[in-house]
Amino acid sequence: MKDIYFLVAFVLFNILAIYSVKFLKFFIFKHRKNIFFRLFYSRIKKIGIPLLLLIDGNFIIYFINNEKQKEFYFYFNILVLGWLFYEIIKYIIYVIIALKLSHKDKIRKEVFNLAIHFTKLFIVLIIFISILSHLGVNFTAIITSLGIGGAIIGLAAKSTLENFFDSIRIISEDAFHQGDWIETKDFEGMVADVGFTSTQVRTFDNALITVPNTLLANSWIKNYSRRVIGRRIKFHLKIKYTTNTPEINRVIQEIRKMLEKHPGIVTDKKIENRFKKTIFKNALFSIEDKYGIRKTLLVYLDEFDEYSMNILVYAYSISVDWEEWLRVKQDVYMKILKIIENSKLELAYPTEEIYINRGKELWKN
């Protein structure tokens, strides 16, 4: 009879838990404007599954009440508790990230990823130590014997330790963030994740490269994402040879005026108001180099080539986004073509002239 009551209570509890979760999700959805509730709505299953498993498992173990189940009871509880603790810590980290993003604070996602990895490692270590303690392992003897053994393990794990400390070095030096577009001598792509010993980079052909952090820490890295304003537009405009100097000068001046008025091209006036406070606040470094701002605008007759006179056009788009940069560059090209079309100048292109010697034919005739 007691067993029947227990089974009824067990079934009722699970039914109540299912309906409670539904009611809780409905309540959270109504308050989804709050970041805490919105994230909890997406993580409720992740946290709820180990919690319900822990309660149900202990119900079943108590119902069986067998001496042989005591060992299983210990291992089951410590593993599920570790899982539950990990999911709760992960949720807290996500809340911190969301709060910082809502306040428009700059965050280092890779630091939080590293914290999640540390939490996972810490939980696994605690579980491992707890299991060894339960099995009666003498930790004093183990620590005492770590003299020579520790040196052997240290030599064996030398590369792993180097990669681990280099990952800390990469983060502390702020070389790149998660999501940055980087280039090295061997590959180019977007940083997907910075781990304990390696960094994952997603290349533009959608392949995933896993690179040891030691290689990244000890080689040059070009970071294209660390710029606020200014993606370069540089080309030579090839003009046919002419002695019409006033017309050349007029075209150069017209191109320069067009670039200065173009809404997508950087000039001093367009960025002065945006960074005015920062410029006066930070006088110890170059504002352009610190924040990644480029505003150079050059239009000059640059060189005399084999078949053309070359006008250098050198400017920066305000947006650093690739597609927007392409749009601005195309618009600049079209406007320059229009200027050339309305001028007396012509675009140059390589040509070849073939002379046929007909002297012998003339002599015969």
Side-chain angles (χ1 to χ4, degrees):
M1 196 68 178
K2 183 182 177 181
D3 294 346
I4 294 172
Y5 287 144
F6 181 85
L7 287 172
V8 170
F10 178 76
V11 172
L12 287 174
F13 171 77
N14 278 275
I15 293 171
L16 182 65
I18 292 168
Y19 279 99
S20 297
V21 169
K22 285 185 177 180
F23 173 77
L24 185 62
K25 289 186 77 173
F26 177 73
F27 174 79
I28 292 170
F29 187 77
K30 285 177 67 178
H31 297 81
R32 63 186 179 276
K33 289 184 179 180
N34 187 299
I35 290 172
F36 180 86
F37 288 119
R38 186 163 65 248
L39 280 172
F40 190 62
Y41 182 84
S42 63
R43 301 292 302 176
I44 192 167
K45 283 187 178 180
K46 297 285 186 181
I47 297 172
I49 289 172
L51 180 62
L52 187 62
L53 187 62
L54 184 68
I55 297 170
D56 282 353
N58 280 279
F59 259 117
I60 294 168
I61 292 167
Y62 177 78
F63 175 70
I64 295 172
N65 195 17
N66 191 335
E67 288 294 327
K68 293 180 180 180
Q69 303 299 327
K70 287 184 177 179
E71 288 295 317
F72 177 76
Y73 173 78
F74 171 79
Y75 295 124
F76 173 79
N77 276 285
I78 195 167
L79 289 172
V80 178
L81 277 171
W83 180 12
L84 178 63
F85 181 72
Y86 171 71
E87 293 297 342
I88 291 171
I89 292 295
K90 204 172 179 180
Y91 167 66
I92 292 169
I93 290 172
Y94 285 171
V95 169
I96 293 169
I97 293 172
L99 286 171
K100 284 186 171 292
L101 287 173
S102 66
H103 290 94
K104 296 182 179 179
D105 294 335
K106 290 183 178 180
I107 62 168
R108 299 285 304 276
K109 292 179 182 178
E110 60 277 7
V111 174
F112 290 100
N113 280 339
L114 208 59
I116 291 171
H117 293 320
F118 266 120
T119 303
K120 193 187 296 183
L121 183 65
F122 177 74
I123 290 170
V124 170
L125 190 62
I126 292 296
I127 291 171
F128 179 70
I129 292 171
S130 301
I131 291 172
L132 288 180
S133 298
H134 183 74
L135 293 172
V137 176
N138 189 349
F139 277 96
T140 307
I142 292 174
I143 293 169
T144 306
S145 63
L146 278 178
I148 299 173
I152 295 170
I153 292 169
L155 289 171
K158 182 185 175 184
S159 60
T160 303
L161 290 172
E162 283 180 354
N163 283 316
F164 171 71
F165 286 113
D166 281 329
S167 68
I168 296 174
R169 194 174 117 201
I170 286 170
I171 292 172
S172 63
E173 288 179 352
D174 201 20
F176 52 79
H177 298 171
Q178 187 177 344
D180 281 2
W181 168 16
I182 65 169
E183 179 187 351
T184 69
K185 61 181 181 181
D186 299 314
F187 60 87
E188 181 180 359
M190 310 295 289
V191 179
D193 185 31
V194 181
F196 276 134
T197 58
S198 63
T199 295
Q200 291 184 331
V201 178
R202 179 71 64 180
T203 61
F204 292 113
D205 57 355
N206 208 19
L208 187 67
I209 300 176
T210 302
V211 191
N213 286 329
T214 300
L215 293 178
L216 285 175
N218 295 291
S219 64
W220 62 266
I221 299 171
K222 185 185 286 187
N223 193 330
Y224 291 102
S225 298
R226 302 298 291 276
R227 50 190 177 186
V228 178
I229 289 179
R231 186 162 179 170
R232 190 174 66 174
I233 298 172
K234 178 187 176 183
F235 60 93
H236 278 94
L237 187 64
K238 295 181 180 294
I239 303 297
K240 282 185 178 181
Y241 274 104
T242 178
T243 55
N244 194 342
T245 307
E247 184 66 4
I248 296 171
N249 192 50
R250 188 192 68 77
V251 167
I252 289 172
Q253 295 301 323
E254 193 171 343
I255 293 172
R256 184 180 289 112
K257 288 178 182 177
M258 180 273 294
L259 291 172
E260 288 172 351
K261 293 178 181 178
H262 198 289
I265 297 297
V266 182
T267 58
D268 286 323
K269 292 180 180 179
K270 291 173 188 174
I271 64 171
E272 185 178 357
N273 294 329
R274 184 171 175 181
F275 291 94
K276 197 171 186 179
K277 292 180 180 178
T278 313
I279 290 169
F280 287 110
K281 188 186 292 184
N282 301 297
L284 297 176
F285 51 77
S286 168
I287 188 71
E288 288 84 2
D289 294 332
K290 177 68 177 177
Y291 294 99
I293 300 170
R294 284 290 178 266
K295 54 186 179 180
T296 308
L297 198 158
L298 304 170
V299 184
Y300 289 100
L301 183 61
D302 185 44
E303 58 189 8
F304 294 101
D305 210 342
E306 291 181 3
Y307 61 89
S308 65
M309 299 186 296
N310 297 338
I311 298 173
L312 171 66
V313 179
Y314 191 102
Y316 286 88
S317 68
I318 291 175
S319 175
V320 296
D321 178 72
W322 185 40
E323 187 174 357
E324 179 64 18
W325 171 75
L326 287 173
R327 190 196 65 76
V328 171
K329 188 167 71 165
Q330 175 183 270
D331 191 54
V332 167
Y333 284 172
M334 298 300 287
K335 282 182 167 59
I336 288 176
L337 287 173
K338 193 70 177 174
I339 291 170
I340 297 297
E341 185 182 349
N342 295 329
S343 72
K344 297 177 183 178
L345 304 180
E346 294 182 52
L347 293 175
Y349 50 89
T351 56
E352 291 184 359
E353 294 183 4
I354 300 173
Y355 292 93
I356 300 174
N357 188 357
R358 296 183 178 273
K360 292 181 180 180
E361 294 180 8
L362 292 171
W363 179 256
K364 286 179 182 180
N365 293 330

